[in-house]
Amino acid sequence: MLCMISAISAPVLPGKIARKVTLGVFAAVFAMSVTLLGFTCGTDESFVYFMGHFPAPWGNEIRAGSLEAVMAIFVSFIGIFALLGGLEAVLKDVEEKKINLYCVLLDLIMSSLLAMIYTNDLFTAYVFIEINTIASCGLIMIRQNGRNMVTAVRYMVVSLLGSGLFLIGVVMTYSITGHLLMSNIKESVAGLVSSGGYNVALTVVIGLMTVGIAIKSGLYPFHLWIPDAYGYSNVTSSAVLSSIVSKGYIFLLIKIYFRVFGFETVVSTHVLNVVFFFGIVGIIMGSVMAIRERNVRKIIAYSSVAQIGYIYMGIGLGTVAGMVAAVFHILAHGATKSLLFIASADLTERAGATRLDELDCLGRKYRFAALTFSVGALSITGFPLLAGFISKILFTSASIGVGYKMYFAIFALAVSTVLNAVYFLRMVAKLYSTYPEKGGAEVKTQDNVETEKEARAVPAECAEAEGSGDQDVPATRAADNNARWLHRIHYIAILALVAANFYLGLRSKVIVEILEKGFSLFD
Amino acid sequence: MFETILAHVDDIVAVTLFVIGFLTLLLHKNMIKKIIGLNIMDTAIFLFLTVQGYITGRKAPILASGEAAAKAEDYINPVPSGLVLTGIVVSVSVTALLLSLTIRMYGKYKSLNIDHILMLVEKEDEG
C-alpha cells in the first residue's frame, strides 16, 4: 500500500526528492517485512487480513506467513541496493526531469511484487501481474535507443501471451469452482478431486497457469527475450528485472500450487514432470549459449536463463524439499545476479568493455569492480562460503530418492556446474590476466610484423593502466563532490550485495529452517 | 459429439479467436497489425469470461427504477462481467504502451515493419 502511494506521488515531485522518497519507501517496506518475519516466526502461525474490513467473499484478502515475509524482505533488499548501485548509471541514462518517472516504474514494480507475494485472491494476482509486466517494459525502454525499443516490443509480445494464458486459466478455475479467493478455491478443488469427475479440467487449468507463468519468467522454450532485455538495458533495470521480477512470478506459481490446488493434486497431474524436463533443458541450453556469447552483459543474461532452469527443476521435483531448494535459490540468485549486473556496470560503462575480449587485464585497473564481479561469478559457479554452493547442496539433497528424476537432476547439476565454470571463470581469468591472449577469436592479420607489433603494444598498455581506474574523478570542480558521493553509494551498494551473498552462504541453516517452517504454514 | 460442440460453441469461438489473435501478434511484421492481434486476443479472453456468467433465461443484473426488489434467481452472474471490466482496463493500458513504442520507433526509423527496424538497429550497432 505504501508503495502505491509513493508511485502515485512520484510524478509530481521533482527528480531528487522522488529518488529519496523511493529509497525511503523501500527501506520502510524492508523494515516492516523484518518485523513481520519476527512476528510469524515467534508465534508460528500465519494470519489473514481482510482488506477493507469486509470478510471474504465480499472483500479481498491478503495472507502473510513467514515464507511471504522472507520473500518480501528479499524483494525490498534487492530493490534498495539495485537502485543505489545503479544510481550513477541511471542518472547518466535518464534525463533529469524524467527521473521521477523512473522512480514511478520502480515503485510500481515493488508494489506489484509485494501484492503478488501477499495476495490471497486469484484475480488480484492477475491484475498485479499485468501491472508488473507494464512497469518492467517501461524499465527496459528507459534507454531510448533503438535496440531497447525492439527488445521491449519482443518482451511485451511474449509476456502478453503468458498473461493471456494465465487469465484463461483463472477464468476456467472460476467457472469450475465459482470462487476467486484461494482458500475457497482449495476447498472446492478438494471436493472436485474426490468426486473424480473433473480431472481433465483440473489438469488443463494447472497446465495453463503453469505455462502462462513459465512464459513470463523465462523457462526454456520461452526464454528468447531474456538475453536482449537484460543485456542491453540500464544496469538497475537489468538487476531489478532479473533478480526480483521473474522471481515474483515463480513465487506466485508456487503459491498457486500450494494454496489453490493443493500440492498432491498438482503432483498427480504430472504437470510437474513437464516443468522438470524443461527446467533441465533450460539449465544446459542456457549455459551452452552463454559460452558462445561474446557480450559481457549477455553472458550474464544467459546465465539467468540457466538459473531459472534450476528453480523450475527444483519445483518440478515434486517434493517439499525441492520447493525449499527452489525458494532458497530464488534468494541466492537474486543476491548474486544483481551483484553481477551492478559490478559489471563499472566494467561495461566506465571502461567501455562490453565485449568479452575487452575485459583483458581490467582487473588491475578497476580493482574493486573486478573483485566483486569475481565474487558474484564464483557464487554462481558454486564455490563454498557463498550462496550458490548452498543452493546446489539443497538441490542435490532434494533430488536424492525421488526416483528416476534423481539421475537427470544430478546429471544436470554436475554438467551445468562445469559449463558455468567455463564461461564465468573465463571472465574472471581474463579480468586478472597480465597480458591479453595474442590473437584470440579476432581477425587474422596478414603480416607477421603487424602481429608482433600488436602483441608488443598491448602488454605495454596493460602495465600503464595500473591503479588509476578506481579513483577516476571528473575534471570539473562543480561535479566533483556529487560524483564522488555517487561513487561511494555505488560501492556501498555493491558491498551490501556481497555481504548478502556471504550471509546466505555461511548462515544458511537459519534461512532454510525458516523456509521449511514457512512451507508447512503455507496452506 | 455434435451436441457437445453446440453446447459449448461460445467457448470454441473464443478459443479460435484467441489463437487467431495470438498468431497475428506473433507472425505479422507490421506493428499496427501486431497491436490489432493483441486486441483480438484479449477480446477473445473477455468473450470466454463473459459467457461463463450467462445462465439461460435470465436477464442482465440491472435494477430498473420502480421495480420490486431483486431476487438473485432472476439475474445472470454479475461477477464475470466485473472481471471483464478489469481486463479491459489492462488491455487498454497495454495497447497504449505498445502504441507509444510504435510511435517512438517510427519517429526514429521511419518504418512500421519490425524486421526492417531490426535490420536498421543492427546496422547502427555495427557502425
Side-chain angles (χ1 to χ4, degrees):
Chain A
M1 284 299 110
L2 205 51
C3 277
M4 277 301 203
I5 300 178
S6 74
I8 299 176
S9 63
V12 194
L13 299 170
K16 267 203 176 162
I17 305 187
R19 220 169 55 220
K20 294 192 181 124
V21 168
T22 310
L23 283 173
V25 165
F26 283 5
V29 170
F30 181 66
M32 289 196 283
S33 317
V34 173
T35 15
L36 180 62
L37 180 65
F39 174 68
T40 50
C41 278
T43 62
D44 233 10
E45 64 181 37
S46 63
F47 66 93
V48 172
Y49 172 74
F50 302 128
M51 310 257 296
H53 295 291
F54 286 115
W58 291 276
N60 220 333
E61 235 180 56
I62 52 179
R63 187 148 176 190
S66 51
L67 194 58
E68 289 95 332
V70 169
M71 281 297 294
I73 292 180
F74 161 68
V75 158
S76 45
F77 181 78
I78 304 277
I80 297 179
F81 289 112
L83 179 59
L84 284 179
L87 207 53
E88 273 184 285
V90 167
L91 288 178
K92 215 179 354 156
D93 279 335
V94 183
E95 308 154 1
E96 184 62 34
K97 28 186 184 45
K98 298 264 183 73
I99 292 236
N100 44 4
L101 295 176
Y102 189 71
C103 290
V104 170
L105 291 174
L106 282 177
D107 283 331
L108 279 176
I109 288 192
M110 188 61 62
S111 59
S112 60
L113 281 170
L114 289 172
M116 282 199 293
I117 292 175
Y118 284 124
T119 182
N120 207 13
D121 177 282
L122 210 49
F123 200 72
T124 314
Y126 169 69
V127 170
F128 281 108
I129 286 182
E130 290 296 324
I131 296 182
N132 214 348
T133 308
I134 297 181
S136 19
C137 180
L139 272 193
I140 297 181
M141 276 197 330
I142 202 73
R143 267 192 204 167
Q144 310 262 354
N145 55 5
R147 165 83 57 180
N148 280 24
M149 291 196 266
V150 175
T151 305
V153 168
R154 202 176 285 168
Y155 171 68
M156 284 304 282
V157 167
V158 174
S159 219
L160 289 169
L161 173 66
S163 309
L165 288 177
F166 184 77
L167 184 56
I168 294 187
V170 169
V171 167
M172 282 185 61
T173 312
Y174 176 69
S175 78
I176 297 178
T177 58
H179 291 116
L180 281 176
L181 211 50
M182 288 189 190
S183 346
N184 292 352
I185 299 184
K186 189 151 185 218
E187 295 165 12
S188 325
V189 165
L192 289 174
V193 165
S194 55
S195 74
Y198 275 89
N199 278 336
V200 173
L202 279 178
T203 312
V204 167
V205 170
I206 296 178
L208 275 175
M209 290 199 194
T210 308
V211 172
I213 293 192
I215 293 180
K216 295 181 79 79
S217 56
L219 190 50
Y220 174 61
F222 316 116
H223 67 288
L224 296 168
W225 55 273
I226 290 189
D228 288 330
Y230 298 167
Y232 292 118
S233 52
N234 190 14
V235 165
T236 309
S237 315
S238 314
V240 164
L241 275 177
S242 69
S243 311
I244 51 186
V245 167
S246 38
K247 309 307 182 305
Y249 297 138
I250 300 182
F251 186 73
L252 185 64
L253 185 64
I254 297 181
K255 202 155 75 130
I256 289 180
Y257 279 168
F258 275 90
R259 285 237 196 103
V260 175
F261 296 111
F263 201 39
E264 298 83 31
T265 321
V266 176
V267 171
S268 69
T269 56
H270 302 294
V271 169
L272 290 182
N273 296 354
V274 179
V275 167
F276 179 76
F277 171 68
F278 278 122
I280 291 200
V281 176
I283 296 176
I284 300 190
M285 288 308 294
S287 310
V288 165
M289 287 192 282
I291 295 182
R292 288 176 36 200
E293 189 55 52
R294 291 273 144 203
N295 183 335
V296 170
R297 293 258 284 275
K298 268 189 159 180
I299 293 182
I300 306 179
Y302 270 114
S303 93
S304 260
V305 175
Q307 302 302 313
I308 294 198
Y310 273 120
I311 299 177
Y312 273 105
M313 179 184 83
I315 295 180
L317 279 176
T319 61
V320 179
M323 291 284 186
V324 170
V327 175
F328 187 84
H329 196 65
I330 289 181
L331 304 178
H333 178 231
T336 316
K337 204 37 80 70
S338 38
L339 170 65
L340 273 177
F341 271 119
I342 295 183
S344 78
D346 258 345
L347 300 173
T348 54
E349 312 268 327
R350 280 205 289 159
T354 41
R355 300 182 51 78
L356 191 57
D357 314 303
E358 299 168 13
L359 271 186
D360 290 331
C361 61
L362 277 181
R364 310 175 109 219
K365 191 171 173 199
Y366 291 94
R367 280 199 203 104
F368 186 74
L371 189 61
T372 48
F373 186 81
S374 315
V375 168
L378 292 177
S379 173
I380 288 207
T381 324
F383 260 54
L385 286 192
L386 293 170
F389 178 63
I390 303 292
S391 39
K392 289 205 159 75
I393 286 189
L394 282 177
F395 275 123
T396 322
S397 58
S399 55
I400 290 183
V402 195
Y404 69 94
K405 283 185 191 169
M406 165 173 83
Y407 303 110
F408 286 111
I410 297 189
F411 170 73
L413 278 171
V415 168
S416 65
T417 310
V418 171
L419 292 174
N420 281 350
V422 166
Y423 61 85
F424 266 120
L425 295 183
R426 184 174 63 178
M427 283 201 281
V428 173
K430 266 183 186 290
L431 276 177
Y432 284 110
S433 63
T434 39
Y435 50 88
E437 316 167 356
K438 307 188 186 103
E442 294 302 312
V443 189
K444 312 189 250 296
T445 57
Q446 288 134 348
D447 285 344
N448 274 338
V449 182
E450 247 181 67
T451 335
E452 265 185 39
K453 239 195 301 181
E454 259 179 35
R456 228 177 290 136
V458 188
E461 228 180 88
C462 261
E464 91 191 13
E466 238 191 273
S468 64
D470 276 345
Q471 286 89 30
D472 246 353
V473 276
T476 68
R477 281 254 134 189
D480 235 5
N481 283 333
N482 207 9
R484 223 177 280 157
W485 181 66
L486 283 177
H487 249 45
R488 267 191 218 124
I489 292 188
H490 183 78
Y491 289 155
I492 294 177
I494 295 188
L495 279 176
L497 289 171
V498 170
N501 254 308
F502 274 107
Y503 180 71
L504 283 174
L506 294 171
R507 308 265 260 121
S508 62
K509 192 145 188 285
V510 177
I511 298 187
V512 172
E513 276 169 17
I514 297 181
L515 289 178
E516 279 170 359
K517 217 190 320 180
F519 265 108
S520 64
L521 294 176
F522 217 24
D523 310 310
Chain B
M1 154 94 172
F2 198 57
E3 296 95 43
T4 328
I5 297 186
L6 214 52
H8 292 286
V9 70
D10 322 307
D11 302 333
I12 296 181
V13 166
V15 172
T16 317
L17 272 180
F18 181 82
V19 172
I20 293 178
F22 171 58
L23 287 178
T24 315
L25 177 60
L26 198 60
L27 297 178
H28 270 275
K29 313 261 183 306
N30 188 329
M31 279 302 299
I32 303 291
K33 289 190 184 169
K34 278 189 194 283
I35 299 176
I36 295 180
L38 168 73
N39 273 318
I40 297 180
M41 191 170 94
D42 277 339
T43 313
I45 303 181
F46 301 148
L47 174 65
F48 187 62
L49 183 48
T50 322
V51 302
Q52 305 293 332
Y54 184 66
I55 310 175
T56 341
R58 303 193 191 178
K59 38 189 190 178
I62 302 175
L63 198 57
S65 65
E67 254 180 38
K71 286 188 306 203
E73 300 83 40
D74 281 346
Y75 299 101
I76 64 171
N77 190 355
V79 173
S81 313
L83 303 180
V84 166
L85 279 174
T86 314
I88 293 179
V89 169
V90 167
S91 175
V92 165
S93 326
V94 173
T95 308
L97 182 65
L98 275 180
L99 279 173
S100 67
L101 263 178
T102 311
I103 293 179
R104 283 257 170 202
M105 288 203 291
Y106 187 73
K108 196 156 183 210
Y109 295 110
K110 301 287 181 276
S111 163
L112 282 179
N113 186 337
I114 193 129
D115 279 349
H116 194 67
I117 295 179
L118 196 53
M119 197 173 63
L120 288 173
V121 164
E122 298 198 341
K123 220 185 301 180
E124 211 175 73
D125 268 352
E126 290 168 20

